[in-house]
Each structure stands twice: as C-alpha cells, then as structure tokens.
Amino acid sequence: MENVRDPREHVNEEPRHDLMDVMMGFGGMLGFMTVLFAAAVIVKFIIS
C-alpha cells in the first residue's frame, strides 16, 4: 500500500446505501416533527 491515493487499492469494507440512508433520515425527521407538532397542539389546548 505505497500509494494511498490510488482508488484501485481501496477496499470498500462497508457498502453504502445512500438512498436508504436519505429515506431513513427523512422518515425519522418527519416522525420527530410530527410528534413535536402534536405535543405543541396539545400544550396549546391545555393552556387555552
């Protein structure tokens, strides 16, 4: 491994699933924001 910048010598040890990562991130954030919105609505009704 003399040339560390040579892409032919790079071994992909962990395959990446970029689309799945984006979908999981979007879904997680959507779920979190939905829970946050529901909590804010409940607090608003309790206050008023």
Side-chain angles (χ1 to χ4, degrees), residues 3 7 12 14-17 25-26 30 32 34 38 40 42-43 45 48:
N3 189 3
N12 192 3
E14 181 182 345
R16 305 284 184 195
H17 301 290
F26 186 83
L30 181 66
F32 174 71
T34 303
I42 291 169
V43 167
F45 277 125
S48 60

Side-chain angles (χ1 to χ4, degrees), residues 18-32:
D18 293 333
L19 180 60
M20 199 62 181
D21 289 341
V22 169
M23 287 169 49
M24 291 297 290
F26 186 83
M29 192 58 143
L30 181 66
F32 174 71

Side-chain angles (χ1 to χ4, degrees), residues 36-48:
L36 204 63
F37 174 74
V41 169
I42 291 169
V43 167
K44 182 187 180 301
F45 277 125
I46 291 173
I47 289 174
S48 60

